[in-house]
Amino acid sequence: MTAATFDDLVTAATVGLSRRPLHVTELAGVAADHAGVLDRDDPATALLDAAALLTAARGAGALLPQAVTCPPPAAVDQAPELSVRAGRVLEQVAVADLEVLTDLLTTAARAGYRAPAPLLPWLLDAASRDRSLRPAVTGVLGTRGRWLASHHSGWAWVSDALPPEVPRDPDVWETGSRGERRAYLQWVRGRDAVAARDLLAAGWPQEAGDDRADLLAVLRQGLSTADEEFLEAALDDRKGAVRVTAAGLLACLPGSAFMRRAAGRAAPLLRLERHGLRQRLAVDLPEEADPAAARDGFSSRPPPGAGARAWLLTQVIAAAPLSMWVSRFGLAPAQIAAVPVAGNLGVDVHAGWRLAAVRQANTEWAEALLAAGPPSGASLPAVWPSDPELAGVVPLAARVARVLALLQPPVLSLTAEAEVVALPGPWPDSLAQAVMVVLARPLAAARRSRWPAQLVAASARNMPVTGPADYAAGLVGLAEQDNCPPALSVALYRAATMVVYRRTFLEEIR
């Protein structure tokens, strides 16, 4: 008979040897050399032994043919390798919380560590499945991990996500994929901004439209007035995505011709009117976007639920420099944000200011708009930057102070929870203690209130693991209260476990 394969054995075992006799005397593959041990008088025993041999052979791999040239080995990596204990923590965390895994890998990379060699295939596979892991995994691969990834087609993404300090092969600019070319341009931009822009400009006419938009965005790194001429030319590109990208970059250049044009469009639209001691902002809606406005990236197609002219108003205000309103009205940002807007256009005006504050990273305006909040009773448009997004512009100390104030009311609002969750960790002790108080409130309430599920999950990532307070023990204490609902108890235990893992990992890389 022909040599039996593993599939042959599965088929015979599924149907039954009485219905489909199978006398195994020869085996396929590298297991063939051991077929002589099979019991030729007992087909059932022979089948089971053959299955064991073929399974072992599959796990062992295959023998290489003679005269095969092996690739050169990986270069020696001088970076320290994570300890066995730290590696075990990574494996345990990965089962429960990929965000915590990302944080631990990022922390290890910042400390100059590389992943243990046995974990490299597992980490590369995990990042192949989940793109959000790729930057963190790439940071701990080291020389050996990058060498390993170069020999597996499924790990080709590593070359696109290498850390900025790793040198790139110049040949990829001519022959690489879009991701490889973007990564190379980013690497050059980080070392010589002018050389990167000149490299992009030299082949600009030959680039495909989508590639032009993708590569142009790289200029955000190290953006300066020296890039203005090239970006102005990109406003005339036939590809809409290129024009939008160029306009967004020019909007980040104070004093550019783009910003002067934006200021000229916006200035006539808002005026401060005084009626005795009261004042308000009067609004003149812009007409349809002309070709010059369309060139600067203004869209005449509003998002769902918005009017065309109101949407254009928001875009014009968002593009204008925020400093012009201070000089024009003679008021501080907080005072301007508090002035009522006539004609039910407050939400459109504030949406423009919020977008401008985020784009221009203007702390004073962001704080003023957060304090003012949305206009009363307004339905927020789809383009409205959320409070956590706007708070991202504010310095961390001010954000913490704001969040502490939001946590004071007895009922935790969704807005407050979202802002706490958005704060980077580890949280300061003042915030961690306030969060513990908030987590305890539903357990002390006479009536069951909403469980802050996102806050519990964020605690796993952000509770401090150094200092005198043991927040893991505090979370366990909440979970073990008699009136803690089972679902919340499980979440609290999980968060406490993640805090312990983070503490253990940090001890290993100190």
Side-chain angles (χ1 to χ4, degrees):
M1 63 169 294
T2 58
T5 66
F6 192 82
D7 290 340
D8 295 332
L9 303 183
V10 171
T11 300
T14 302
V15 176
L17 290 175
S18 60
R19 299 177 60 186
R20 177 174 290 186
L22 180 65
H23 298 284
V24 183
T25 58
E26 297 181 24
L27 296 176
V30 295
D33 294 341
H34 304 276
V37 304
L38 299 177
D39 190 336
R40 298 177 181 271
D41 298 325
D42 188 342
T45 301
L47 186 145
L48 293 175
D49 288 343
L53 287 169
L54 288 173
T55 299
R58 289 204 303 179
L63 293 173
L64 289 175
Q66 296 295 323
V68 170
T69 302
C70 293
V76 177
D77 201 328
Q78 301 298 329
E81 188 174 273
L82 289 171
S83 67
V84 173
R85 188 183 185 206
R88 287 174 181 163
V89 169
L90 293 178
E91 292 180 289
Q92 292 165 331
V93 164
V95 176
D97 196 322
L98 288 180
E99 290 187 339
V100 175
L101 174 64
T102 300
D103 292 343
L104 295 184
L105 292 172
T106 302
T107 301
R110 288 173 181 166
Y113 283 86
R114 57 189 171 91
L119 294 188
L120 291 174
W122 166 68
L123 287 171
L124 288 164
D125 280 341
S128 296
R129 294 189 299 269
D130 189 334
R131 289 177 175 269
S132 66
L133 282 173
R134 292 183 180 182
V137 168
T138 306
V140 296
L141 288 180
T143 302
R144 179 181 293 177
R146 294 192 292 272
W147 173 89
L148 183 64
S150 69
H151 292 85
H152 191 303
S153 59
W155 300 333
W157 53 266
V158 169
S159 61
D160 300 348
L162 290 176
E165 66 273 9
V166 177
R168 266 40 173 213
D169 181 0
D171 290 341
V172 303
W173 183 248
E174 300 296 335
T175 62
S177 65
R178 182 193 297 180
E180 290 173 329
R181 299 181 72 235
R182 180 189 174 96
Y184 178 76
L185 187 64
Q186 287 176 318
W187 182 76
V188 176
R189 183 73 169 178
R191 284 150 183 76
D192 189 334
V194 174
R197 188 187 65 247
D198 290 346
L199 180 65
L200 180 59
W204 186 256
Q206 288 75 45
E207 299 286 355
D210 290 338
D211 288 350
R212 290 198 303 275
D214 189 50
L215 295 171
L216 186 65
V218 173
L219 299 190
R220 184 174 297 276
Q221 177 186 4
L223 184 67
S224 71
T225 54
D227 302 313
E228 183 179 0
E229 182 179 355
F230 182 68
L231 293 173
E232 277 286 340
L235 289 176
D236 295 314
D237 197 275
R238 62 183 180 276
K239 185 74 174 180
V242 176
R243 299 194 299 271
V244 170
T245 302
L249 293 175
L250 287 166
C252 298
L253 287 176
S256 65
F258 177 92
M259 293 297 276
R260 292 195 297 272
R261 294 195 298 271
R265 292 189 185 97
L269 302 183
L270 300 182
R271 61 184 184 278
L272 189 64
E273 295 181 342
R274 291 183 171 86
H275 302 275
L277 297 178
R278 303 177 65 183
Q279 52 188 7
R280 70 172 187 174
L281 282 174
V283 182
D284 291 326
L285 286 171
E287 300 297 333
E288 184 179 353
D290 57 22
R295 177 181 183 270
D296 281 346
F298 296 105
S299 170
S300 59
R301 300 179 61 183
R309 295 179 69 188
W311 167 230
L312 185 56
L313 170 70
T314 295
Q315 294 179 87
V316 172
I317 293 175
L322 288 165
S323 58
M324 67 169 284
W325 304 114
V326 174
S327 58
R328 184 173 178 81
F329 299 142
L331 300 174
Q335 295 172 307
I336 297 173
V339 175
V341 180
N344 295 321
L345 292 169
V347 67
D348 304 294
V349 172
H350 276 244
W353 282 336
R354 281 182 167 240
L355 288 166
V358 172
R359 292 173 183 172
Q360 298 171 34
N362 192 302
T363 296
E364 189 176 6
W365 269 92
E367 291 179 334
L369 293 166
L370 284 168
S376 178
S379 177
L380 301 181
V383 296
W384 182 271
S386 65
D387 283 0
E389 184 179 0
L390 193 58
V393 179
V394 178
L396 184 59
R399 290 180 68 184
V400 171
R402 170 180 165 80
V403 166
L404 286 173
L406 291 173
L407 293 178
Q408 292 305 311
V411 178
L412 178 67
S413 68
L414 291 174
T415 299
E417 185 175 13
E419 287 207 37
V420 179
V421 170
L423 275 173
W427 293 332
D429 279 307
S430 59
L431 178 56
Q433 293 167 10
V435 168
M436 292 298 297
V437 171
V438 171
L439 294 179
R441 282 178 190 162
L443 305 181
R447 292 184 301 174
R448 180 169 294 178
S449 57
R450 181 180 68 87
W451 300 335
Q454 292 185 22
L455 196 57
V456 175
S459 298
R461 296 183 61 190
N462 299 317
M463 282 293 183
V465 297
T466 58
D470 187 347
Y471 292 102
L475 292 167
V476 169
L478 294 177
E480 292 181 345
Q481 291 190 22
D482 292 339
N483 59 341
C484 185
L488 180 57
S489 179
V490 170
L492 289 167
Y493 274 125
R494 182 184 297 116
T497 302
M498 290 300 107
V499 173
V500 172
Y501 282 150
R502 288 172 47 228
R503 181 191 301 142
T504 302
F505 191 84
L506 190 61
E507 291 171 351
E508 290 296 305
I509 65 173
R510 282 177 181 169

